[in-house]
Amino acid sequence: MARMNLDDAPVFLAIARTGTLTAAAAQLGTGIATVSRKIERLELALGVPLFARHQSGYTLTDEGEALLPRAEALEEAAQRFRLDAASEAEAIGHVRVATAENLANDVIIPSLSGLLQTNPGLTIEVLTDITTSNLHRRDADLAVRMVRPERGNLTVRQVGTLGYGLYGSAEYLANRSSHDQSLFADDRFIGWSERQQMLPAAQWLERKMKGDAPAIMTSSLFGQVTAAKSGLGLAILPHFLAAPAGLKQVAGDIGLDQPIWLVIHSDLLASHRVRIVADHLAHVIASNDARLRGHRPE
């Protein structure tokens, strides 16, 4: 007995359903000779005639009738396999991402269109109030943070670097009394509100100002950018926010560059939807590396 080729089973079903080689070939998108060769090969492998040939077409023999349900079951199994493979390739479900508002609005959210088109069964929630988003409590599934978590059942990897510089408006810089980047005695500074004093930028300002109060304090980066654009003083800002706002750099390397960490609860590493989103975020941040670091094109 010849060895059976499972690829011939769809030919058997197509002839059984259409009754002619011509119609079966059209249904399968192949040639009549190919259909004829495959059905003959299948009959030879099984050792029984599956069809009675007539001038008007093909009809199932008793042996063919007996095998029809099994061929249909094989077809159904193949379809289920294809659907399962497709669902595995496509992420399905809800993923919550915690991150800083500036990264969310300028980098992450604008990148999500392609991801959602490729994975129409995926929904994404972006949480920017990261002080209340705790991965241990499952407030979020993954996070993009500038501070590395030191404890917990978390998987952490660095995916980029966020560069900072000291910036002011063109009007403010034109009226500075000193153009020496190391002298800030006569400068006005834009600082952070009291509850943000743990930020590296706030601590840098405290050292430089030696106890003096900033000219204005805000509680958001958007407020810092607006204050700097309004000529109220110098602000420590991420390069990728300051440059598009038209601000001028006073000092580029102030020692405040921060690693960007991708953080995932270890229990979710096997989740396909979470892995898809995590890989997308890592790719997006890597693609924006020069912009986030503040490197300018040559």
Side-chain angles (χ1 to χ4, degrees):
M1 181 180 294
R3 185 176 180 181
M4 186 177 70
N5 189 331
L6 291 178
D7 289 341
D8 296 337
V11 173
F12 167 65
L13 287 172
I15 298 174
R17 288 165 179 166
T18 64
T20 68
L21 295 182
T22 302
Q27 185 181 93
L28 296 169
T30 189
I32 296 174
T34 300
V35 171
S36 177
R37 184 177 67 254
K38 287 188 173 185
I39 198 61
E40 289 175 1
R41 183 171 62 189
L42 182 59
E43 289 178 322
L44 180 62
L46 294 173
V48 294
L50 299 175
F51 295 98
R53 279 75 167 169
H54 307 285
Q55 286 188 341
S56 58
Y58 281 49
T59 58
L60 286 167
T61 61
D62 291 342
E63 293 84 356
E65 288 281 3
L67 289 174
L68 183 60
R70 297 180 185 180
E72 290 173 335
L74 186 63
E75 178 186 52
E76 183 179 351
Q79 290 173 343
R80 281 201 307 269
F81 181 82
R82 285 193 294 269
L83 289 173
D84 290 346
S87 64
E88 179 62 22
E90 176 190 325
I92 297 174
H94 190 66
V95 178
R96 293 162 297 175
V97 179
T99 189
E101 187 170 10
N102 56 306
L103 282 177
N105 292 341
D106 288 80
V107 179
I108 293 174
I109 292 176
S111 77
L112 296 178
S113 176
L115 178 65
L116 294 176
Q117 287 178 357
T118 305
N119 302 275
L122 182 68
T123 58
I124 298 175
E125 183 177 356
V126 180
L127 308 169
T128 56
D129 187 6
I130 61 174
T131 57
T132 61
S133 298
N134 186 305
L135 267 64
H136 296 292
R137 295 196 310 262
R138 299 293 176 85
D139 294 336
D141 299 309
L142 63 156
V144 178
R145 291 180 172 165
M146 266 57 71
V147 178
R148 179 187 178 115
E150 297 297 333
R151 296 181 298 172
N153 185 29
L154 303 172
T155 298
V156 183
R157 61 170 163 147
Q158 184 177 349
V159 291
T161 298
L162 185 61
Y164 284 80
L166 188 64
Y167 286 87
S169 69
E171 178 186 4
Y172 176 86
L173 297 182
N175 294 320
R176 287 183 79 203
S177 58
S178 173
H179 294 280
D180 188 331
Q181 294 184 2
S182 64
L183 299 176
F184 301 107
D186 297 325
D187 279 305
R188 297 194 307 270
F189 286 95
I190 300 161
W192 287 92
S193 298
E194 185 176 351
R195 64 176 182 170
Q196 279 88 26
Q197 288 305 302
M198 79 294 296
L199 294 175
Q203 294 173 4
W204 188 93
L205 284 176
E206 186 177 0
R207 292 192 298 271
K208 289 295 181 182
M209 298 184 67
K210 300 178 180 178
D212 292 341
I216 183 172
M217 293 175 284
T218 78
S219 60
S220 71
L221 272 172
F222 180 77
Q224 300 265 310
V225 172
T226 301
K229 287 174 64 177
S230 301
L232 299 181
L234 301 179
I236 297 171
L237 298 169
H239 299 302
F240 84 99
L241 291 181
L247 295 171
K248 305 301 180 183
Q249 189 179 106
V250 177
D253 185 7
I254 55 176
L256 292 182
D257 291 2
Q258 294 178 287
I260 302 175
W261 304 101
L262 180 63
V263 186
I264 308 173
H265 196 288
S266 297
D267 291 347
L268 295 175
L269 287 176
S271 168
H272 184 59
R273 59 183 172 81
V274 173
R275 288 200 319 271
I276 287 288
V277 176
D279 289 345
H280 173 80
L281 294 177
H283 173 73
V284 166
I285 292 171
S287 299
N288 284 272
D289 182 67
R291 177 183 169 215
L292 292 171
R293 289 176 182 268
H295 295 168
R296 299 178 181 178
E298 297 297 334

